[in-house]
Amino acid sequence: MIDFVDVSLTYAGARGPVLRGLNLHVPEGELCLVVGSTGSGKSSLLGAVNGLVPHFTGGRLAGTVTVAGRSTRDHPPRELADVVGVVGQNPSASFVADTVEDELAYTMESLALPIDVMRRRVEDTLDLLGLVGLRDRAVSTLSSGQAQRVAIGAVLTAHPRVLVLDEPTSALDPAAAEDVLAAVQRLVHDLGMTVLLAEHRLERVVQHADSVVWLPGDGTAVRGTPAEIMAHSPITPPIVALGRELGWTPLPLTVRDARVPARRLRDRLPAAPPPIPARRLGPVVAQTRALTVRYSGVVALREAEVTVRAGEIVAVMGRNGAGKSTLLAALTGLVKPAAGQVRLAGHDPRQLRGRLLTRHVGLVPQQPGDLLYAETVAAECVAADRDAAAPAGTAAALLHRMAGDLDRGMHPRDLSEGQRLALALAVVLTSAPPLVLLDEPTRGLDYPAKDRLVLALTGLADTGHAVVLATHDVELAAEVSTRTVVLADGDIVADGPSRDIVTQSPVFAPQIAKVLAPLPYLTVTDVRRSLAGAAT
């Protein structure tokens, strides 16, 4: 169905080809997972399948890419639309209609299909993806999970034979991610569709894949079964990392697979991992009291009571639309409470402006690029120093600590997701705010970038900053947070030590917690520390 024959791709000004001599075949009716570090060429590989590369991205493409017998060199994207459907990382950005039903019909209208065909395909798609109840909903009111399914449906109505998905679960809570992946599996198993899917959160998807293409970062690609690739790839989900460390054979790809060898492991482990010395907490830096926020009469937060102290790392979790981003917006004074109050070190954030506000709180939004306006990385750092009245070189030093050596002459839009996040975080931290807020900080990050983020956040807490993360990434919350707040429909339903909260929740528990339950272990690091202690 998809064939790459001696494909190489080089962008203008690049040091070398991003893809080099690729020879790949993805057969019909297969779910193929593409993995690799940020910058390894995943997006370029996906873009080559529907002709965006090189027709719109530029670059020099050598070799041949064919999809269902059509060469992407000879057929631009508009001539492949009936064969290849593409859903990007931000599905809502592609919406052009006002309602779900109209959005599903739009692609068919562009292809000038007859009305009776359009009506039938819309009904089929609504049933296939479980969207019947959303038929008349405005697309602007959809949750992230609903928007993802509608975006998939909008390309499915053209009856493509290939579906390309770029990070389809990166913005979704665990339950919504399962819904989307279940819909994708249905397309593969029931309709024989070929799906090419790139995803950083392998713990969610690797067990669903028929094959995996691993991009090591040198322009080449290695294709194999999930078990074959996971045995050697440096990018692995937690249970695979645990299985490799302990020499489990066969290597587990699912929690269920891991439970059998985990029985022997549980017998070797202490009742709890060795305690980590608690970080000494400082004064209260933020507090909400009976905070209620409404949007057009809809309650987004209801009488929320949250207190954050210096030295804490608090994970705020919950379904899409639970109120996580609203809580962060309230802490920065971006929304007006309908009732209750917000205080930053005793101040109402809505009364603080400019530099005075940034001295109390800094927010890194879901799209870190929203904070970046300069033409180069260097100019962004200089502007951050000037705006914060900080010594020259402050932002650049923070960036180097989190991202290493970067080409300071690059435009921020040309950075990887991890590099862009590091730059935005450096800009925020230049003002040294006591409270740092991050909204979905691991969206689009690979595992190494996430590890660097964990080190950066831990360093912030160790130096007396308070950190609050709104996140769907249960593995990040398990790794870095000391406390977890769970929201549901605007209400706080849990607030306590992260180890207690996540081990009691089947939805927000990380993979290791599910494998080793009822023992309160959350991460591979927990297991490693306990086994090392038992050996001594």
Side-chain angles (χ1 to χ4, degrees), residues 344-400:
L344 299 178
H347 300 279
D348 181 347
R350 300 190 74 244
Q351 303 303 317
L352 303 176
R353 293 289 185 273
R355 191 176 296 171
L356 190 58
L357 178 63
T358 59
R359 286 177 179 171
H360 285 85
V361 61
L363 170 65
V364 180
Q366 288 189 28
Q367 300 294 336
D370 291 348
L371 297 182
L372 308 175
Y373 300 99
E375 294 295 317
T376 66
V377 172
E380 201 69 63
C381 291
V382 170
D385 291 341
R386 181 186 64 246
D387 293 344
T394 299
L398 288 166
L399 178 61
H400 183 271

Side-chain angles (χ1 to χ4, degrees), residues 1-2 26-30 46 49-50 66-68 80-87 155-156 159-165 192-197:
M1 178 58 69
I2 303 173
V26 181
E28 185 176 4
E30 182 171 285
L46 297 184
V49 173
N50 77 324
T66 57
V67 183
L80 294 169
D82 63 327
V83 175
V84 183
V86 179
V87 180
V155 300
L156 287 185
H159 280 195
R161 299 173 65 185
V162 175
L163 180 62
V164 176
L165 301 173
M193 184 170 287
T194 304
V195 176
L196 196 63
L197 183 155

Side-chain angles (χ1 to χ4, degrees), residues 52 111 113 132-133 168 183 206 208 279 322 327 377 385 454 473-474 536:
L52 283 175
L111 296 173
L113 295 180
V132 175
V206 70
H208 302 304
R279 191 180 291 114
L327 176 60
V377 172
D385 291 341
V454 167
D473 191 335
V474 297
T536 58

Side-chain angles (χ1 to χ4, degrees), residues 16-196:
V18 65
L19 302 176
R20 186 195 310 269
L22 259 61
N23 288 284
L24 294 172
H25 172 66
V26 181
E28 185 176 4
E30 182 171 285
L31 196 165
C32 179
L33 174 63
V34 181
V35 304
S37 299
T38 301
S40 61
K42 297 188 302 299
S43 294
S44 293
L45 187 149
L46 297 184
V49 173
N50 77 324
L52 283 175
V53 175
H55 291 289
F56 287 90
T57 63
R60 186 174 68 256
L61 181 70
T64 304
V65 182
T66 57
V67 183
R70 300 186 197 178
S71 168
T72 61
R73 181 188 302 279
D74 302 327
H75 296 80
R78 66 178 178 274
E79 296 179 7
L80 294 169
D82 63 327
V83 175
V84 183
V86 179
V87 180
Q89 292 186 23
N90 185 8
S92 298
S94 66
F95 290 160
V96 294
D98 293 328
T99 67
V100 169
E101 186 171 16
D102 289 344
E103 183 65 32
L104 295 180
Y106 177 79
T107 302
M108 295 183 289
E109 290 175 346
S110 302
L111 296 173
L113 295 180
I115 294 293
D116 59 331
V117 173
M118 292 171 56
R119 178 61 187 271
R120 185 175 66 252
R121 289 189 183 182
V122 166
E123 295 303 322
D124 289 344
T125 303
L126 289 170
D127 289 333
L128 183 66
L129 298 180
L131 298 172
V132 175
L134 302 178
R135 177 199 299 271
D136 298 319
R137 279 277 296 275
V139 294
S140 60
T141 66
L142 300 176
S143 71
S144 296
Q146 292 167 338
Q148 189 70 265
R149 282 185 288 150
V150 170
I152 292 173
V155 300
L156 287 185
T157 55
H159 280 195
R161 299 173 65 185
V162 175
L163 180 62
V164 176
L165 301 173
D166 193 0
E167 300 281 346
T169 74
S170 63
L172 304 185
D173 63 68
E178 288 182 8
D179 288 343
V180 168
L181 292 172
V184 171
Q185 280 190 287
R186 199 175 304 124
L187 299 176
V188 175
H189 296 167
D190 296 348
L191 302 183
M193 184 170 287
T194 304
V195 176
L196 196 63

